[in-house]
Amino acid sequence: MSLDSSRSASSTGQKSKRSVNSISSNPSSSSNNKKHKKNTNQKTLGAVWGAKSPSSSRSSFRKSPFSDFGSYMVHKNRKLHNQFDAEASSSSHSGLSCEKPIFRGISIFVDGFTIPSSQELRGYMLKYGGRHENYFSRYRVTHIICSNLPDCKIKNIRSFSGGLPVVKPTWILDSVAANKLLSWFPYQLDQLVDNQPRLLDFFAPKNSLVSKDALLQYENEDTSFKGSEQKDESFPEAGQPLLHSQQISGESDDIICQNTDILIEEPTVGSEKSCKVKIVEMSNFDAEGDSNVKDELQTNLHELSVSSYCSDNQDSKGLPSRLSYRSHSTKDPDFVENYFKNSRLHFIGTWRNRYRKHFPNLSKGFKNMDSNPNDCTGSQKTSIIHIDMDCFFVSVVIRNHPELKDKPVAVCHSDNPKGTAEISSANYPARDYGVRAGIFVRDAKALCSHLVIFPYNFEAYEEVADQFYNILHKHCKKVQAVSCDEAFLDVTDLEGEDPELLALTIRKEIFESTGCTASAGIAGNMLLSRLATRTAKPDGQCYIPPKKVDDYLCQLPIKELPGIGHVLEEKLKKKNVQTCGQLRILSKDTLQKNFGMKTGEMLWNYSRGIDNRHVGMIQETKSIGAEVNWGVRFKDSKDSQNFLSSLCKEVSLRLQGCGVQGRSFTLKIKKRRKYAEEPVKYMGCGDCENLSHSITVPVATDDTEVLQRITKQLFGFFNIGKPYK
DNA sequence: ATCCTCCCCTAC
DNA sequence: TAAGGTAGGGGAGGAT
Ligand SMILES: Nc1ccn([C@H]2C[C@H](O)[C@@H](COP(=O)(O)OP(=O)(O)OP(=O)(O)O)O2)c(=O)n1
Ligand SMILES: [Mg+2]
Ligand SMILES: [Mg+2]
């Protein structure tokens, strides 16, 4: 009930996509899912694929990742307000460390029963500068610790160790006794000795974590497929005799490749046709009990998306066989699950749902500006703080590596200087070289050859985010979470407090508690405080007083405004608009005519520093979905069906995890564009067309089997593989 | 006018 | 090798 206010305020009535649901229907509703809650919420929670790049942008992006994306990164004046920096560093970091950090860079995972116990080993690791992981991850763990095992278990360990050293616990004990890191080589598990990779360089002082990746690469390097190396973008390799040859059985072509025949002639390298599928499902809540207004069911939309690449024949040799290791949609039966486990975008995309469960009462727009409907009631001007962690993923993983603080560091799955893994976050020294989130690691290495790469540590991000929000909630009731590292605070009501001092205090606490720095922007509305944060970074804060607003905005490149991405930027550039000052010249009418009513108004307002949003207006979830656009390769229709099936399962789990059901469902697919070349990105989806169909069913569901039926039907709408029609 | 479907765009 | 997700806002154009 309270919620409609939020939506109506801005949108002037209807046009809201789906009705909003009533009150509390959400968690309470279906009683049945109680038990799921615990399990599911943790790792599930899904998402939808965003159909990111339009054709135009896609191609430009491909050619020069930097040019249109982060090109300028306006380098922030770190100036003013940099206080506690020095002082805090002394007091802050808890010290588990007074001992010589002989295990620096070492991260162990203890498998099974050991003497001494896993807990004791953990104690040693922490005390001597190392790490201990409770869960195995090939990216975080550098050594597996394990006692000799029965043969039947050995096989298991061999397969999951992924080539990491498997070492006896005495390695730790002896190293501690010697007060230096001994080579693990003599301590390998007896049964595995023959198979150990030679990884002596592991201990290269720098960061062993990285070297692991590097080594793996070297092994495979030569076999890397040529297609993607350099030229790939230039021309469609005309020749390429493809192994194509005959095709498959009738089956394969029907599903996927609709224009198979045509495609075959295409320049495409590998004989694959890509095609993507995306499914979205929408649904209403099962309001069950409160029937009240049936229309209130909030519709909850649930999307599934899949993208696939189908290769029509030749499952045999050629490129594909080489790719077949394990992470590949048709090769790995648990592909979807593994994929999500390692996806950074999945992590940040689902973070919000985890936050909701973690801070149930705080996450819903806290009664928020309750009374004052239109507020704006002048009396006191509102005061908003925006706060954002500096290069979050990097800061967290280098907390215990002070020597790296001023060196260029980035977080990425791979350190392969020829690889197409994406940089997730780069610290400020790295940004000086032009390295930034989203570029390929090979491009990053080209910009900065000594860039240090760290692997992800999702558990740590989760933990730091919790500390971050605990601190924010402690100081302010009106907190609107934006993402795992970013939030708005409405501090208007905290009259006794000077916002700038408060920001200082909060940042200091964050640093002391997490070892990571945050920056803050303080201003009269959300737009301005957010912009202020950008100029404050890194490790600073910035207040924009009302009088300075005009000066501040006038020169500001429009791309800096939230809501203006690369497409809008280009469109405006064509009209000769590059700064807010220039944007102001256009009338609201013109803008609305060119960009639509809402977008036009937004542009007009933002260019003047006007923003009427309120902190804390968070609505109920409207949609839940899951999508995969990487590593999807289908050989025949069965593969695609299996894949859709796993997505249905995933979505079903996520719905249950949230305690909601859906009535409206959308399937999205990606289909390889006719003249698309081989994807530049390893296991990527390349240049695709995005298609979607949706359907609304009479009764809301979260049942896997029902989803499968619906999905099948939706899939049929695409007529994939039926050239005529 | 309003809704509905199929997109596109943006942010993290 | 590598993990290109997720969710919401909004526009165009056709159906009602
Ligand atoms: N394209 C992107 C953008 C972000 N992230 C992840 C990594 C970031 O650390 C985190 C937070 O995003 P921010 O936009 O806040 O970026 P950073 O915190 O890394 O840097 P900044 O100091 O600019 O906030 O989200 C990502 O993986 N890929
Ligand atoms: Mg940040
Ligand atoms: Mg952020």
Side-chain angles (χ1 to χ4, degrees):
Chain A
M1 37 175 60
S2 60
L3 58 176
D4 56 340
S5 75
S6 71
R7 135 132 339 86
S8 62
S10 66
S11 70
T12 80
Q14 75 303 18
K15 180 29 180 186
S16 37
K17 310 225 142 166
R18 304 256 132 210
S19 54
V20 183
N21 80 345
S22 66
I23 344 107
S24 59
S25 50
N26 90 358
S28 54
S29 56
S30 48
S31 57
N32 48 351
N33 37 32
K34 246 193 216 164
K35 44 183 57 171
H36 294 299
K37 224 171 241 168
K38 206 177 242 159
N39 311 329
T40 51
N41 64 11
Q42 204 64 263
K43 11 198 78 178
T44 55
L45 310 181
V48 176
W49 140 234
K52 264 187 186 175
S53 25
S55 60
S56 63
S57 69
R58 180 180 290 118
S59 54
S60 62
F61 175 74
R62 174 122 6 86
K63 294 208 158 50
S64 53
F66 326 120
S67 69
D68 65 351
F69 262 65
S71 52
Y72 50 67
M73 165 80 207
V74 190
H75 233 113
K76 333 297 180 162
N77 33 356
R78 45 206 66 198
K79 51 159 163 239
L80 353 153
H81 320 8
N82 278 1
Q83 24 316 49
F84 68 90
D85 188 15
E87 163 230 336
S89 63
S90 59
S91 66
S92 77
H93 227 50
S94 62
L96 334 135
S97 54
C98 354
E99 309 291 345
K100 187 174 159 199
I102 59 175
F103 294 130
R104 167 160 301 163
I106 305 295
S107 179
I108 63 165
F109 168 76
V110 180
D111 184 65
F113 176 78
T114 53
I115 302 177
S117 72
S118 176
Q119 276 316 301
E120 289 169 276
L121 291 171
R122 176 171 190 274
Y124 287 125
M125 291 308 289
L126 299 185
K127 191 162 176 191
Y128 292 89
R131 304 192 2 165
H132 171 277
E133 300 289 346
N134 281 315
Y135 303 98
F136 179 71
S137 156
R138 267 191 303 141
Y139 293 103
R140 286 190 297 279
V141 171
T142 59
H143 296 74
I144 295 166
I145 306 297
C146 173
S147 295
N148 281 330
L149 295 168
D151 275 50
C152 60
K153 290 225 157 186
I154 287 299
K155 204 153 121 196
N156 221 329
I157 245 219
R158 195 174 277 149
S159 66
F160 98 114
S161 66
L164 292 176
V166 180
V167 184
K168 288 183 276 195
T170 43
W171 173 54
I172 307 283
L173 301 179
D174 291 355
S175 292
V176 170
N179 197 29
K180 67 175 195 185
L181 184 62
L182 302 175
S183 165
W184 51 266
F185 208 82
Y187 295 92
Q188 291 173 93
L189 204 61
D190 299 336
Q191 294 118 304
L192 286 174
V193 161
D194 294 341
N195 303 289
Q196 287 298 316
R198 20 71 183 182
L199 294 175
L200 298 175
D201 4 14
F202 234 108
F203 298 142
K206 288 203 177 135
N207 42 12
S208 52
L209 296 181
V210 172
S211 55
K212 170 189 69 177
D213 286 347
L215 283 183
L216 293 177
Q217 293 152 196
Y218 294 139
E219 291 173 3
N220 302 341
E221 192 169 355
D222 35 2
T223 76
S224 72
F225 40 119
K226 41 208 118 231
S228 70
E229 198 43 50
Q230 50 210 65
K231 66 249 208 106
D232 52 299
E233 20 226 50
S234 41
F235 306 58
E237 346 232 352
Q240 269 293 19
L242 309 200
L243 349 113
H244 243 92
S245 53
Q246 34 100 28
Q247 74 303 8
I248 1 76
S249 54
E251 187 171 26
S252 67
D253 62 21
D254 68 345
I255 291 262
I256 313 215
C257 332
Q258 65 185 71
N259 347 343
T260 306
D261 7 302
I262 299 176
L263 288 181
I264 294 185
E265 328 292 276
E266 298 312 309
T268 73
V269 175
S271 81
E272 281 122 324
K273 303 118 185 317
S274 78
C275 109
K276 309 178 157 191
V277 180
K278 209 179 229 187
I279 299 173
V280 178
E281 317 189 4
M282 296 186 76
S283 58
N284 304 336
F285 248 150
D286 62 338
E288 209 178 67
D290 61 341
S291 52
N292 218 353
V293 181
K294 48 128 149 267
D295 285 351
E296 304 197 67
L297 335 148
Q298 103 184 105
T299 77
N300 180 332
L301 161 146
H302 160 9
E303 320 196 359
L304 265 190
S305 101
V306 178
S307 87
S308 74
Y309 225 75
C310 8
S311 49
D312 48 320
N313 46 354
Q314 54 63 356
D315 29 328
S316 45
K317 56 249 11 288
L319 313 183
S321 64
R322 241 185 261 131
L323 311 173
S324 61
Y325 231 34
R326 38 175 128 289
S327 50
H328 175 252
S329 63
T330 77
K331 272 245 94 131
D332 178 1
D334 299 321
F335 174 75
V336 170
E337 184 184 338
N338 287 330
Y339 175 71
F340 285 137
K341 219 176 276 173
N342 290 291
S343 163
R344 80 189 202 275
L345 292 174
H346 170 77
F347 175 86
I348 63 179
T350 51
W351 176 86
R352 202 185 188 72
N353 280 329
R354 291 190 295 278
Y355 172 78
R356 261 175 229 246
K357 297 187 183 179
H358 209 89
F359 300 101
N361 11 345
L362 304 162
S363 57
K364 335 215 123 218
F366 44 78
K367 65 199 54 188
N368 134 62
M369 39 101 120
D370 27 51
S371 48
N372 51 352
N374 301 331
D375 82 66
C376 304
T377 74
S379 72
Q380 64 181 331
K381 45 201 175 163
T382 64
S383 187
I384 308 295
I385 297 179
H386 175 257
I387 184 155
D388 186 302
M389 304 290 291
D390 300 321
C391 49
F392 187 53
F393 282 16
V394 172
S395 298
V396 171
V397 296
I398 64 169
R399 284 184 290 178
N400 299 319
H401 294 268
E403 76 280 5
L404 291 175
K405 209 181 66 165
D406 300 313
K407 304 238 162 69
V409 181
V411 166
C412 183
H413 275 308
S414 159
D415 197 12
N416 182 350
K418 296 179 169 178
T420 58
E422 281 171 27
I423 300 295
S424 176
S425 180
N427 67 355
Y428 285 79
R431 289 181 203 192
D432 288 340
Y433 290 86
V435 176
R436 64 200 75 244
I439 70 173
F440 290 160
V441 66
R442 69 178 180 209
D443 298 324
K445 287 282 186 176
L447 290 165
C448 173
S449 59
H450 56 297
L451 180 68
V452 176
I453 303 290
F454 264 70
Y456 293 85
N457 185 347
F458 294 117
E459 286 110 348
Y461 305 145
E462 192 80 36
E463 197 176 312
V464 171
D466 281 352
Q467 299 175 53
F468 175 73
Y469 277 96
N470 277 327
I471 291 168
L472 299 186
H473 290 314
K474 196 174 81 189
H475 288 278
C476 177
K477 286 181 157 31
K478 295 187 176 180
V479 178
Q480 180 177 326
V482 173
S483 75
C484 57
D485 85 326
E486 186 174 347
F488 287 99
L489 313 184
D490 183 338
V491 295
T492 307
D493 296 338
L494 279 48
E495 306 182 9
E497 218 139 2
D498 171 13
E500 290 187 78
L501 279 179
L502 178 59
L504 214 54
T505 309
I506 290 175
R507 290 174 48 231
K508 178 170 171 152
E509 277 182 38
I510 289 169
F511 182 75
E512 287 173 351
S513 140
T514 68
C516 301
T517 61
S519 300
I522 302 118
N525 64 36
M526 294 172 74
L527 168 67
L528 294 168
S529 63
R530 216 197 87 143
L531 292 172
T533 302
R534 293 204 132 185
T535 101
K537 275 177 178 293
D539 192 20
Q541 60 185 65
C542 172
Y543 168 60
I544 305 184
K547 305 192 164 126
K548 295 267 194 68
V549 171
D550 276 0
D551 285 348
Y552 185 88
L553 286 175
C554 195
Q555 308 269 42
L556 193 76
I558 51 168
K559 179 68 195 321
E560 298 280 302
L561 295 175
I564 299 189
H566 64 285
V567 173
L568 260 185
E569 180 189 28
E570 287 304 312
K571 282 186 189 166
L572 285 163
K573 195 167 178 181
K574 289 206 181 96
K575 298 185 170 315
N576 245 329
V577 174
Q578 315 220 43
T579 65
C580 287
Q582 293 165 333
L583 182 52
R584 286 189 195 185
I585 297 171
L586 302 182
S587 71
K588 191 189 282 197
D589 216 52
T590 307
L591 290 171
Q592 292 183 319
K593 208 158 289 173
N594 282 284
F595 302 100
M597 293 296 294
K598 305 270 193 137
T599 309
E601 180 168 29
M602 181 269 285
L603 292 172
W604 194 88
N605 282 338
Y606 281 15
S607 69
R608 288 163 177 75
I610 299 170
D611 179 7
N612 298 316
R613 292 173 301 165
H614 292 289
V615 173
M617 301 221 224
I618 308 211
Q619 307 143 313
E620 301 295 311
T621 297
K622 291 181 185 160
S623 71
I624 288 179
E627 75 187 74
V628 176
N629 290 295
W630 185 90
V632 181
R633 299 285 115 112
F634 298 150
K635 181 164 85 295
D636 54 35
S637 86
K638 189 168 297 169
D639 288 343
S640 60
Q641 293 304 321
N642 286 341
F643 193 72
L644 284 179
S645 172
S646 9
L647 275 181
C648 287
K649 259 179 240 150
E650 181 66 28
V651 171
S652 160
L653 283 175
R654 294 183 193 189
L655 284 171
Q656 292 165 15
C658 294
V660 298
Q661 297 186 325
R663 277 192 61 224
S664 178
F665 297 87
T666 301
L667 173 64
K668 300 198 239 179
I669 75 166
K670 277 180 176 290
K671 188 169 133 213
R672 181 188 177 283
R673 248 178 239 287
K674 203 162 159 197
Y675 297 103
E677 301 160 27
E678 188 65 8
V680 172
K681 183 173 174 61
Y682 173 73
M683 279 290 146
C685 60
D687 191 4
C688 289
E689 226 176 315
N690 300 306
L691 305 171
S692 83
H693 279 292
S694 57
I695 194 176
T696 300
V697 299
V699 16
T701 185
D702 61 5
D703 182 86
T704 310
E705 316 248 316
V706 178
L707 292 196
Q708 309 234 15
R709 279 203 298 280
I710 293 170
T711 300
K712 224 163 211 165
Q713 189 183 351
L714 282 167
F715 191 73
F717 291 172
F718 291 101
N719 287 323
I720 285 180
K722 298 162 199 161
Y724 304 111
K725 162 32 169 343

